[in-house]
mmCIF file of all heavy atoms in Angstrom:
data_model
loop_
_atom_site.group_PDB
_atom_site.id
_atom_site.type_symbol
_atom_site.label_atom_id
_atom_site.label_comp_id
_atom_site.label_asym_id
_atom_site.label_seq_id
_atom_site.Cartn_x
_atom_site.Cartn_y
_atom_site.Cartn_z
ATOM 1 N N ALA A 183 -29.296 -13.915 29.433
ATOM 2 C CA ALA A 183 -28.143 -14.327 28.634
ATOM 3 C C ALA A 183 -26.918 -13.466 28.943
ATOM 4 O O ALA A 183 -27.035 -12.334 29.417
ATOM 5 C CB ALA A 183 -28.480 -14.225 27.150
ATOM 6 N N ASP A 184 -25.752 -14.027 28.683
ATOM 7 C CA ASP A 184 -24.526 -13.233 28.714
ATOM 8 C C ASP A 184 -24.545 -12.276 27.523
ATOM 9 O O ASP A 184 -25.079 -12.603 26.457
ATOM 10 C CB ASP A 184 -23.292 -14.124 28.602
ATOM 11 C CG ASP A 184 -23.084 -15.007 29.825
ATOM 12 O OD1 ASP A 184 -23.642 -14.692 30.897
ATOM 13 O OD2 ASP A 184 -22.366 -16.018 29.700
ATOM 14 N N MET A 185 -23.926 -11.096 27.706
ATOM 15 C CA MET A 185 -23.832 -10.122 26.614
ATOM 16 C C MET A 185 -22.368 -9.798 26.358
ATOM 17 O O MET A 185 -21.585 -9.615 27.290
ATOM 18 C CB MET A 185 -24.593 -8.847 26.961
ATOM 19 C CG MET A 185 -26.094 -9.037 27.109
ATOM 20 S SD MET A 185 -26.962 -7.467 27.457
ATOM 21 C CE MET A 185 -26.404 -7.149 29.141
ATOM 22 N N LEU A 186 -22.004 -9.731 25.082
ATOM 23 C CA LEU A 186 -20.654 -9.336 24.689
ATOM 24 C C LEU A 186 -20.733 -7.999 23.955
ATOM 25 O O LEU A 186 -21.548 -7.832 23.044
ATOM 26 C CB LEU A 186 -20.024 -10.381 23.761
ATOM 27 C CG LEU A 186 -19.832 -11.797 24.315
ATOM 28 C CD1 LEU A 186 -19.151 -12.675 23.259
ATOM 29 C CD2 LEU A 186 -19.025 -11.785 25.605
ATOM 30 N N PHE A 187 -19.886 -7.067 24.362
ATOM 31 C CA PHE A 187 -19.787 -5.763 23.714
ATOM 32 C C PHE A 187 -18.442 -5.742 22.999
ATOM 33 O O PHE A 187 -17.395 -5.810 23.647
ATOM 34 C CB PHE A 187 -19.908 -4.649 24.741
ATOM 35 C CG PHE A 187 -21.251 -4.629 25.425
ATOM 36 C CD1 PHE A 187 -21.510 -5.466 26.513
ATOM 37 C CD2 PHE A 187 -22.266 -3.818 24.958
ATOM 38 C CE1 PHE A 187 -22.757 -5.475 27.136
ATOM 39 C CE2 PHE A 187 -23.522 -3.821 25.566
ATOM 40 C CZ PHE A 187 -23.772 -4.651 26.653
ATOM 41 N N VAL A 188 -18.474 -5.657 21.673
ATOM 42 C CA VAL A 188 -17.285 -5.967 20.870
ATOM 43 C C VAL A 188 -16.852 -4.814 19.974
ATOM 44 O O VAL A 188 -17.680 -4.171 19.323
ATOM 45 C CB VAL A 188 -17.556 -7.212 19.982
ATOM 46 C CG1 VAL A 188 -16.315 -7.573 19.172
ATOM 47 C CG2 VAL A 188 -18.018 -8.392 20.835
ATOM 48 N N GLY A 189 -15.546 -4.583 19.941
ATOM 49 C CA GLY A 189 -14.918 -3.744 18.925
ATOM 50 C C GLY A 189 -14.113 -4.693 18.058
ATOM 51 O O GLY A 189 -13.125 -5.265 18.516
ATOM 52 N N ALA A 190 -14.521 -4.890 16.813
ATOM 53 C CA ALA A 190 -13.901 -5.907 15.954
ATOM 54 C C ALA A 190 -12.848 -5.309 15.035
ATOM 55 O O ALA A 190 -12.940 -4.153 14.629
ATOM 56 C CB ALA A 190 -14.972 -6.616 15.121
ATOM 57 N N VAL A 191 -11.866 -6.108 14.700
ATOM 58 C CA VAL A 191 -10.837 -5.707 13.737
ATOM 59 C C VAL A 191 -11.157 -6.311 12.368
ATOM 60 O O VAL A 191 -11.959 -7.235 12.251
ATOM 61 C CB VAL A 191 -9.429 -6.179 14.180
ATOM 62 C CG1 VAL A 191 -9.027 -5.531 15.482
ATOM 63 C CG2 VAL A 191 -9.373 -7.712 14.303
ATOM 64 N N GLY A 192 -10.511 -5.767 11.336
ATOM 65 C CA GLY A 192 -10.475 -6.415 10.033
ATOM 66 C C GLY A 192 -11.760 -6.504 9.255
ATOM 67 O O GLY A 192 -11.932 -7.434 8.462
ATOM 68 N N GLU A 193 -12.668 -5.537 9.408
ATOM 69 C CA GLU A 193 -13.895 -5.595 8.601
ATOM 70 C C GLU A 193 -13.659 -5.065 7.198
ATOM 71 O O GLU A 193 -14.244 -5.553 6.228
ATOM 72 C CB GLU A 193 -15.003 -4.786 9.282
ATOM 73 C CG GLU A 193 -16.406 -5.045 8.742
ATOM 74 C CD GLU A 193 -16.762 -4.247 7.486
ATOM 75 O OE1 GLU A 193 -16.088 -3.229 7.191
ATOM 76 O OE2 GLU A 193 -17.713 -4.630 6.777
ATOM 77 N N GLU A 194 -12.798 -4.065 7.080
ATOM 78 C CA GLU A 194 -12.615 -3.393 5.798
ATOM 79 C C GLU A 194 -11.625 -4.117 4.882
ATOM 80 O O GLU A 194 -10.654 -4.724 5.340
ATOM 81 C CB GLU A 194 -12.113 -1.964 6.024
ATOM 82 C CG GLU A 194 -13.041 -1.084 6.842
ATOM 83 C CD GLU A 194 -14.277 -0.639 6.082
ATOM 84 O OE1 GLU A 194 -14.497 -1.103 4.940
ATOM 85 O OE2 GLU A 194 -15.043 0.170 6.636
ATOM 86 N N GLY A 195 -11.863 -3.991 3.573
ATOM 87 C CA GLY A 195 -10.903 -4.399 2.557
ATOM 88 C C GLY A 195 -10.281 -5.760 2.778
ATOM 89 O O GLY A 195 -10.956 -6.766 2.981
ATOM 90 N N GLN A 196 -8.930 -5.776 2.739
ATOM 91 C CA GLN A 196 -8.218 -7.038 2.867
ATOM 92 C C GLN A 196 -8.180 -7.564 4.293
ATOM 93 O O GLN A 196 -7.579 -8.605 4.561
ATOM 94 C CB GLN A 196 -6.806 -6.893 2.300
ATOM 95 C CG GLN A 196 -6.796 -6.738 0.792
ATOM 96 C CD GLN A 196 -5.402 -6.821 0.208
ATOM 97 O OE1 GLN A 196 -4.499 -7.418 0.763
ATOM 98 N NE2 GLN A 196 -5.226 -6.210 -0.954
ATOM 99 N N GLY A 197 -8.830 -6.847 5.210
ATOM 100 C CA GLY A 197 -9.018 -7.405 6.551
ATOM 101 C C GLY A 197 -9.824 -8.683 6.490
ATOM 102 O O GLY A 197 -9.709 -9.561 7.351
ATOM 103 N N ASP A 198 -10.702 -8.783 5.453
ATOM 104 C CA ASP A 198 -11.414 -10.025 5.137
ATOM 105 C C ASP A 198 -12.229 -10.568 6.305
ATOM 106 O O ASP A 198 -12.343 -11.771 6.493
ATOM 107 C CB ASP A 198 -10.418 -11.081 4.639
ATOM 108 C CG ASP A 198 -11.089 -12.195 3.842
ATOM 109 O OD1 ASP A 198 -12.106 -11.916 3.191
ATOM 110 O OD2 ASP A 198 -10.586 -13.337 3.898
ATOM 111 N N LEU A 199 -12.770 -9.658 7.122
ATOM 112 C CA LEU A 199 -13.613 -10.048 8.268
ATOM 113 C C LEU A 199 -12.850 -10.920 9.268
ATOM 114 O O LEU A 199 -13.449 -11.751 9.956
ATOM 115 C CB LEU A 199 -14.888 -10.768 7.805
ATOM 116 C CG LEU A 199 -15.722 -10.095 6.714
ATOM 117 C CD1 LEU A 199 -17.013 -10.871 6.479
ATOM 118 C CD2 LEU A 199 -16.041 -8.646 7.036
ATOM 119 N N ARG A 200 -11.528 -10.730 9.357
ATOM 120 C CA ARG A 200 -10.728 -11.631 10.187
ATOM 121 C C ARG A 200 -11.119 -11.581 11.664
ATOM 122 O O ARG A 200 -10.999 -12.578 12.380
ATOM 123 C CB ARG A 200 -9.237 -11.316 10.030
ATOM 124 C CG ARG A 200 -8.740 -10.074 10.718
ATOM 125 C CD ARG A 200 -7.237 -9.864 10.473
ATOM 126 N NE ARG A 200 -6.660 -8.896 11.380
ATOM 127 C CZ ARG A 200 -6.770 -7.575 11.266
ATOM 128 N NH1 ARG A 200 -7.452 -7.072 10.244
ATOM 129 N NH2 ARG A 200 -6.213 -6.769 12.144
ATOM 130 N N GLY A 201 -11.592 -10.417 12.121
ATOM 131 C CA GLY A 201 -11.982 -10.316 13.518
ATOM 132 C C GLY A 201 -13.163 -11.203 13.851
ATOM 133 O O GLY A 201 -13.135 -11.984 14.801
ATOM 134 N N VAL A 202 -14.218 -11.104 13.046
ATOM 135 C CA VAL A 202 -15.417 -11.899 13.310
ATOM 136 C C VAL A 202 -15.182 -13.365 12.975
ATOM 137 O O VAL A 202 -15.744 -14.254 13.624
ATOM 138 C CB VAL A 202 -16.624 -11.317 12.546
ATOM 139 C CG1 VAL A 202 -17.862 -12.179 12.763
ATOM 140 C CG2 VAL A 202 -16.902 -9.907 13.021
ATOM 141 N N LYS A 203 -14.348 -13.630 11.993
ATOM 142 C CA LYS A 203 -14.000 -15.028 11.723
ATOM 143 C C LYS A 203 -13.373 -15.655 12.965
ATOM 144 O O LYS A 203 -13.623 -16.826 13.284
ATOM 145 C CB LYS A 203 -13.035 -15.121 10.541
ATOM 146 C CG LYS A 203 -13.710 -14.896 9.186
ATOM 147 C CD LYS A 203 -12.720 -14.981 8.040
ATOM 148 C CE LYS A 203 -13.417 -14.796 6.694
ATOM 149 N NZ LYS A 203 -12.489 -14.826 5.542
ATOM 150 N N ASN A 204 -12.581 -14.873 13.691
ATOM 151 C CA ASN A 204 -11.968 -15.382 14.920
ATOM 152 C C ASN A 204 -13.005 -15.581 16.018
ATOM 153 O O ASN A 204 -12.937 -16.548 16.789
ATOM 154 C CB ASN A 204 -10.877 -14.424 15.407
ATOM 155 C CG ASN A 204 -9.951 -15.072 16.424
ATOM 156 O OD1 ASN A 204 -9.265 -16.040 16.117
ATOM 157 N ND2 ASN A 204 -9.940 -14.544 17.637
ATOM 158 N N LEU A 205 -13.989 -14.677 16.075
ATOM 159 C CA LEU A 205 -15.046 -14.808 17.094
ATOM 160 C C LEU A 205 -15.850 -16.089 16.919
ATOM 161 O O LEU A 205 -16.414 -16.607 17.879
ATOM 162 C CB LEU A 205 -15.995 -13.609 17.029
ATOM 163 C CG LEU A 205 -15.463 -12.251 17.490
ATOM 164 C CD1 LEU A 205 -16.517 -11.182 17.272
ATOM 165 C CD2 LEU A 205 -15.037 -12.293 18.951
ATOM 166 N N PHE A 206 -15.904 -16.585 15.688
ATOM 167 C CA PHE A 206 -16.676 -17.802 15.412
ATOM 168 C C PHE A 206 -15.774 -18.995 15.068
ATOM 169 O O PHE A 206 -16.241 -19.986 14.512
ATOM 170 C CB PHE A 206 -17.684 -17.544 14.292
ATOM 171 C CG PHE A 206 -18.817 -16.654 14.717
ATOM 172 C CD1 PHE A 206 -18.737 -15.278 14.557
ATOM 173 C CD2 PHE A 206 -19.941 -17.184 15.326
ATOM 174 C CE1 PHE A 206 -19.767 -14.445 14.965
ATOM 175 C CE2 PHE A 206 -20.976 -16.364 15.744
ATOM 176 C CZ PHE A 206 -20.893 -14.982 15.562
ATOM 177 N N SER A 207 -14.518 -18.895 15.429
ATOM 178 C CA SER A 207 -13.581 -19.989 15.187
ATOM 179 C C SER A 207 -13.606 -20.977 16.346
ATOM 180 O O SER A 207 -14.307 -20.784 17.338
ATOM 181 C CB SER A 207 -12.158 -19.435 15.008
ATOM 182 O OG SER A 207 -11.681 -18.909 16.246
ATOM 183 N N GLU A 208 -12.800 -22.004 16.234
ATOM 184 C CA GLU A 208 -12.726 -23.004 17.301
ATOM 185 C C GLU A 208 -12.178 -22.402 18.600
ATOM 186 O O GLU A 208 -12.464 -22.887 19.692
ATOM 187 C CB GLU A 208 -11.847 -24.173 16.861
ATOM 188 C CG GLU A 208 -12.436 -25.011 15.731
ATOM 189 C CD GLU A 208 -13.781 -25.625 16.100
ATOM 190 O OE1 GLU A 208 -13.920 -26.110 17.246
ATOM 191 O OE2 GLU A 208 -14.692 -25.615 15.249
ATOM 192 N N SER A 209 -11.370 -21.337 18.470
ATOM 193 C CA SER A 209 -10.762 -20.722 19.655
ATOM 194 C C SER A 209 -11.608 -19.584 20.218
ATOM 195 O O SER A 209 -11.130 -18.794 21.030
ATOM 196 C CB SER A 209 -9.372 -20.179 19.299
ATOM 197 O OG SER A 209 -9.464 -19.190 18.278
ATOM 198 N N ARG A 210 -12.863 -19.494 19.791
ATOM 199 C CA ARG A 210 -13.722 -18.397 20.225
ATOM 200 C C ARG A 210 -13.880 -18.377 21.753
ATOM 201 O O ARG A 210 -13.817 -19.422 22.415
ATOM 202 C CB ARG A 210 -15.090 -18.523 19.577
ATOM 203 C CG ARG A 210 -15.852 -19.789 19.947
ATOM 204 C CD ARG A 210 -17.171 -19.876 19.179
ATOM 205 N NE ARG A 210 -17.920 -21.072 19.514
ATOM 206 C CZ ARG A 210 -17.817 -22.218 18.868
ATOM 207 N NH1 ARG A 210 -16.974 -22.318 17.861
ATOM 208 N NH2 ARG A 210 -18.546 -23.258 19.214
ATOM 209 N N PRO A 211 -14.092 -17.169 22.313
ATOM 210 C CA PRO A 211 -14.204 -17.043 23.767
ATOM 211 C C PRO A 211 -15.491 -17.638 24.325
ATOM 212 O O PRO A 211 -15.556 -18.027 25.489
ATOM 213 C CB PRO A 211 -14.184 -15.521 23.988
ATOM 214 C CG PRO A 211 -14.721 -14.958 22.701
ATOM 215 C CD PRO A 211 -14.201 -15.876 21.636
ATOM 216 N N ALA A 212 -16.507 -17.706 23.486
ATOM 217 C CA ALA A 212 -17.794 -18.258 23.919
ATOM 218 C C ALA A 212 -18.605 -18.573 22.677
ATOM 219 O O ALA A 212 -18.367 -18.013 21.596
ATOM 220 C CB ALA A 212 -18.541 -17.252 24.789
ATOM 221 N N LYS A 213 -19.535 -19.464 22.820
ATOM 222 C CA LYS A 213 -20.444 -19.767 21.725
ATOM 223 C C LYS A 213 -21.440 -18.612 21.619
ATOM 224 O O LYS A 213 -22.222 -18.385 22.546
ATOM 225 C CB LYS A 213 -21.174 -21.084 21.986
ATOM 226 C CG LYS A 213 -22.159 -21.467 20.886
ATOM 227 C CD LYS A 213 -22.827 -22.796 21.205
ATOM 228 C CE LYS A 213 -23.857 -23.145 20.129
ATOM 229 N NZ LYS A 213 -25.016 -22.207 20.142
ATOM 230 N N ILE A 214 -21.369 -17.885 20.519
ATOM 231 C CA ILE A 214 -22.266 -16.746 20.318
ATOM 232 C C ILE A 214 -23.539 -17.240 19.640
ATOM 233 O O ILE A 214 -23.490 -17.855 18.578
ATOM 234 C CB ILE A 214 -21.580 -15.658 19.474
ATOM 235 C CG1 ILE A 214 -20.338 -15.128 20.213
ATOM 236 C CG2 ILE A 214 -22.558 -14.517 19.182
ATOM 237 C CD1 ILE A 214 -19.507 -14.155 19.411
ATOM 238 N N ASP A 215 -24.678 -16.965 20.268
ATOM 239 C CA ASP A 215 -25.952 -17.483 19.770
ATOM 240 C C ASP A 215 -26.701 -16.491 18.891
ATOM 241 O O ASP A 215 -27.517 -16.895 18.052
ATOM 242 C CB ASP A 215 -26.836 -17.880 20.955
ATOM 243 C CG ASP A 215 -26.192 -18.952 21.810
ATOM 244 O OD1 ASP A 215 -26.199 -20.122 21.388
ATOM 245 O OD2 ASP A 215 -25.660 -18.619 22.885
ATOM 246 N N SER A 216 -26.445 -15.202 19.076
ATOM 247 C CA SER A 216 -27.070 -14.165 18.252
ATOM 248 C C SER A 216 -26.074 -13.025 18.105
ATOM 249 O O SER A 216 -25.322 -12.726 19.046
ATOM 250 C CB SER A 216 -28.357 -13.637 18.897
ATOM 251 O OG SER A 216 -29.277 -14.679 19.147
ATOM 252 N N TYR A 217 -26.105 -12.366 16.947
ATOM 253 C CA TYR A 217 -25.073 -11.367 16.662
ATOM 254 C C TYR A 217 -25.693 -10.106 16.074
ATOM 255 O O TYR A 217 -26.427 -10.166 15.087
ATOM 256 C CB TYR A 217 -24.063 -11.941 15.667
ATOM 257 C CG TYR A 217 -22.758 -11.204 15.603
ATOM 258 C CD1 TYR A 217 -21.737 -11.480 16.504
ATOM 259 C CD2 TYR A 217 -22.541 -10.227 14.639
ATOM 260 C CE1 TYR A 217 -20.526 -10.803 16.450
ATOM 261 C CE2 TYR A 217 -21.337 -9.550 14.578
ATOM 262 C CZ TYR A 217 -20.329 -9.841 15.483
ATOM 263 O OH TYR A 217 -19.137 -9.172 15.421
ATOM 264 N N ILE A 218 -25.378 -8.972 16.693
ATOM 265 C CA ILE A 218 -25.853 -7.681 16.210
ATOM 266 C C ILE A 218 -24.638 -6.861 15.801
ATOM 267 O O ILE A 218 -23.822 -6.479 16.642
ATOM 268 C CB ILE A 218 -26.628 -6.910 17.294
ATOM 269 C CG1 ILE A 218 -27.758 -7.759 17.879
ATOM 270 C CG2 ILE A 218 -27.163 -5.588 16.729
ATOM 271 C CD1 ILE A 218 -28.341 -7.197 19.167
ATOM 272 N N ALA A 219 -24.492 -6.607 14.511
ATOM 273 C CA ALA A 219 -23.421 -5.736 14.023
ATOM 274 C C ALA A 219 -24.016 -4.354 13.781
ATOM 275 O O ALA A 219 -25.165 -4.233 13.348
ATOM 276 C CB ALA A 219 -22.820 -6.285 12.735
ATOM 277 N N ILE A 220 -23.231 -3.327 14.071
ATOM 278 C CA ILE A 220 -23.664 -1.959 13.798
ATOM 279 C C ILE A 220 -22.745 -1.394 12.734
ATOM 280 O O ILE A 220 -21.532 -1.304 12.924
ATOM 281 C CB ILE A 220 -23.617 -1.084 15.064
ATOM 282 C CG1 ILE A 220 -24.467 -1.705 16.182
ATOM 283 C CG2 ILE A 220 -24.110 0.326 14.752
ATOM 284 C CD1 ILE A 220 -24.400 -0.942 17.492
ATOM 285 N N ASP A 221 -23.320 -1.034 11.607
ATOM 286 C CA ASP A 221 -22.533 -0.514 10.480
ATOM 287 C C ASP A 221 -23.485 0.280 9.600
ATOM 288 O O ASP A 221 -24.617 -0.139 9.378
ATOM 289 C CB ASP A 221 -21.907 -1.675 9.696
ATOM 290 C CG ASP A 221 -20.643 -1.279 8.953
ATOM 291 O OD1 ASP A 221 -20.419 -0.069 8.769
ATOM 292 O OD2 ASP A 221 -19.884 -2.175 8.533
ATOM 293 N N GLY A 222 -23.031 1.424 9.083
ATOM 294 C CA GLY A 222 -23.946 2.310 8.395
ATOM 295 C C GLY A 222 -24.717 3.123 9.426
ATOM 296 O O GLY A 222 -24.589 2.906 10.632
ATOM 297 N N THR A 223 -25.534 4.048 8.976
ATOM 298 C CA THR A 223 -26.249 4.914 9.920
ATOM 299 C C THR A 223 -27.770 4.787 9.864
ATOM 300 O O THR A 223 -28.452 5.268 10.768
ATOM 301 C CB THR A 223 -25.883 6.389 9.656
ATOM 302 O OG1 THR A 223 -26.100 6.706 8.282
ATOM 303 C CG2 THR A 223 -24.430 6.653 10.010
ATOM 304 N N SER A 224 -28.311 4.152 8.861
ATOM 305 C CA SER A 224 -29.761 4.094 8.684
ATOM 306 C C SER A 224 -30.465 3.405 9.845
ATOM 307 O O SER A 224 -30.059 2.329 10.289
ATOM 308 C CB SER A 224 -30.107 3.368 7.386
ATOM 309 O OG SER A 224 -31.508 3.171 7.276
ATOM 310 N N LEU A 225 -31.523 4.038 10.317
ATOM 311 C CA LEU A 225 -32.350 3.422 11.352
ATOM 312 C C LEU A 225 -33.328 2.427 10.743
ATOM 313 O O LEU A 225 -33.780 1.499 11.405
ATOM 314 C CB LEU A 225 -33.122 4.505 12.118
ATOM 315 C CG LEU A 225 -34.046 4.052 13.244
ATOM 316 C CD1 LEU A 225 -33.252 3.335 14.337
ATOM 317 C CD2 LEU A 225 -34.795 5.240 13.839
ATOM 318 N N ASP A 226 -33.627 2.600 9.464
ATOM 319 C CA ASP A 226 -34.628 1.767 8.804
ATOM 320 C C ASP A 226 -34.067 0.434 8.299
ATOM 321 O O ASP A 226 -34.729 -0.598 8.375
ATOM 322 C CB ASP A 226 -35.230 2.515 7.606
ATOM 323 C CG ASP A 226 -35.970 3.785 8.014
ATOM 324 O OD1 ASP A 226 -36.435 3.852 9.175
ATOM 325 O OD2 ASP A 226 -36.083 4.697 7.179
ATOM 326 N N ARG A 227 -32.856 0.454 7.759
ATOM 327 C CA ARG A 227 -32.332 -0.707 7.037
ATOM 328 C C ARG A 227 -31.829 -1.799 7.983
ATOM 329 O O ARG A 227 -31.040 -1.550 8.888
ATOM 330 C CB ARG A 227 -31.202 -0.268 6.108
ATOM 331 C CG ARG A 227 -30.764 -1.315 5.107
ATOM 332 C CD ARG A 227 -29.897 -0.669 4.035
ATOM 333 N NE ARG A 227 -29.511 -1.617 3.003
ATOM 334 C CZ ARG A 227 -28.344 -2.241 2.967
ATOM 335 N NH1 ARG A 227 -27.440 -1.994 3.910
ATOM 336 N NH2 ARG A 227 -28.053 -3.092 2.010
ATOM 337 N N ILE A 228 -32.269 -3.022 7.726
ATOM 338 C CA ILE A 228 -31.849 -4.201 8.474
ATOM 339 C C ILE A 228 -31.218 -5.176 7.487
ATOM 340 O O ILE A 228 -31.891 -5.677 6.583
ATOM 341 C CB ILE A 228 -33.046 -4.879 9.171
ATOM 342 C CG1 ILE A 228 -33.720 -3.904 10.150
ATOM 343 C CG2 ILE A 228 -32.607 -6.156 9.890
ATOM 344 C CD1 ILE A 228 -35.101 -4.358 10.597
#
Side-chain angles (χ1 to χ4, degrees):
D184 292 340
M185 295 182 290
L186 299 182
F187 297 83
V188 182
V191 297
E193 195 277 342
E194 300 286 6
Q196 290 189 26
D198 200 31
L199 310 186
R200 75 181 195 282
V202 177
K203 285 179 178 178
N204 196 62
L205 290 177
F206 289 91
S207 69
E208 292 300 318
S209 61
R210 62 184 180 269
K213 179 179 178 293
I214 298 174
D215 300 284
S216 304
Y217 197 84
I218 306 166
I220 304 176
D221 206 343
T223 53
S224 173
L225 180 61
D226 297 335
R227 192 166 183 262
I228 300 165

